[in-house]
Amino acid sequence: KFFTKPQNDITPYNLIFGGMITLSLACFVYLYYTNIYKRQKQIELIKLESEFKDSLYIIASRMGENKPLEEAFKSTQEFLPQYKISQTIFPKIIDNISILSMPLDKAIFDENYGALKDVPSNIIRGSMRLLVDSVQLGVNVAARTMIALSIQLSNQEKVSNSLKLLVGDITSMMKVMSLFIAPMVLGITTALQKI
């Protein structure tokens, strides 16, 4: 009897809230499927940068043995065969140098054939630029530079992980507040307003 009276009709509310739910779901689906592929690429890039830090140390140690840079890339590729960077970037550099007879700078940074043409990482590009510039000063100088850079990247990763742990406590507290405390406060405020 309550809902049959005209003043208690809930049809407008069903229409409004149904439209809001439909709009929210449509926004969710749009935002989710437009960003999921970007997020996958971002995760792949983070993994590639992490692998690059390890492979950089091996490249530097091979150059410290007075091996040329091509040999260092080849031995790094053989030493770390499961790494994605050893499967994509290093073979491309070696092929560009040996097959296309490109100089080191062009083999890495060429717009059409360079190994880094599809890699948007500033860390990898900057490190490779530093490698190319330091090789011109000598293999031993390049080896010391790359070891220092590898240590710096390791320290940066440690600091980043520490910051994630520190911020994690605050984020978890904010999640608890948004899930439990905020709805309770909102419910109490609404109840007090009705009173």
Side-chain angles (χ1 to χ4, degrees):
K1 289 182 179 180
F2 179 78
F3 291 111
T4 57
K5 295 180 182 175
Q7 64 267 22
N8 298 331
D9 187 20
I10 59 167
T11 306
Y13 299 112
N14 287 339
L15 181 66
I16 292 170
F17 291 121
M20 288 174 63
I21 290 172
T22 305
L23 184 65
S24 301
L25 286 174
C27 287
F28 167 75
V29 168
Y30 172 75
L31 292 174
Y32 180 77
Y33 284 106
T34 53
N35 292 320
I36 187 171
Y37 304 110
K38 293 177 187 175
R39 181 64 182 153
Q40 287 174 351
K41 287 289 185 185
Q42 186 181 29
I43 290 171
E44 287 177 13
L45 191 62
I46 290 170
K47 185 179 177 188
L48 196 68
E49 288 175 352
S50 177
E51 291 175 356
F52 180 72
K53 169 187 56 84
D54 297 335
S55 62
L56 199 61
Y57 187 81
I58 296 170
I59 291 170
S61 65
R62 296 299 178 264
M63 287 192 314
E65 298 170 358
N66 286 328
K67 291 185 177 178
L69 192 57
E70 297 83 21
E71 290 282 326
F73 283 133
K74 197 173 288 187
S75 63
T76 304
Q77 181 184 2
E78 293 168 0
F79 190 75
L80 302 170
Q82 72 277 12
Y83 279 16
K84 187 175 180 181
I85 197 165
S86 297
Q87 299 166 0
T88 57
I89 295 177
F90 295 152
K92 183 78 172 164
I93 294 173
I94 295 168
D95 289 344
N96 285 346
I97 291 172
S98 60
I99 296 173
L100 298 177
S101 300
M102 294 176 122
L104 181 63
D105 187 34
K106 292 286 184 187
I108 296 173
F109 297 109
D110 190 63
E111 293 178 4
N112 297 324
Y113 300 107
L116 297 182
K117 71 177 174 127
D118 295 329
V119 179
S121 171
N122 289 331
I123 292 175
I124 295 175
R125 285 185 170 277
S127 301
M128 291 302 252
R129 175 58 62 195
L130 185 64
L131 175 66
V132 169
D133 291 343
S134 61
V135 163
Q136 294 173 358
L137 299 174
V139 179
N140 289 327
V141 174
R144 282 181 286 184
T145 305
M146 291 302 105
I147 287 176
L149 181 62
S150 175
I151 292 170
Q152 181 182 358
L153 290 175
S154 298
N155 291 339
Q156 176 191 359
E157 190 174 13
K158 287 177 188 174
V159 168
S160 177
N161 290 337
S162 299
L163 283 174
K164 284 180 186 175
L165 288 174
L166 290 173
V167 173
D169 295 337
I170 297 170
T171 338
S172 62
M173 183 177 67
M174 290 175 72
K175 283 181 184 176
V176 168
M177 285 180 64
S178 66
L179 288 175
F180 298 111
I181 298 172
M184 284 193 303
V185 170
L186 184 63
I188 291 170
T189 308
T190 308
L192 286 175
Q193 182 187 11
K194 287 183 180 179
I195 292 174

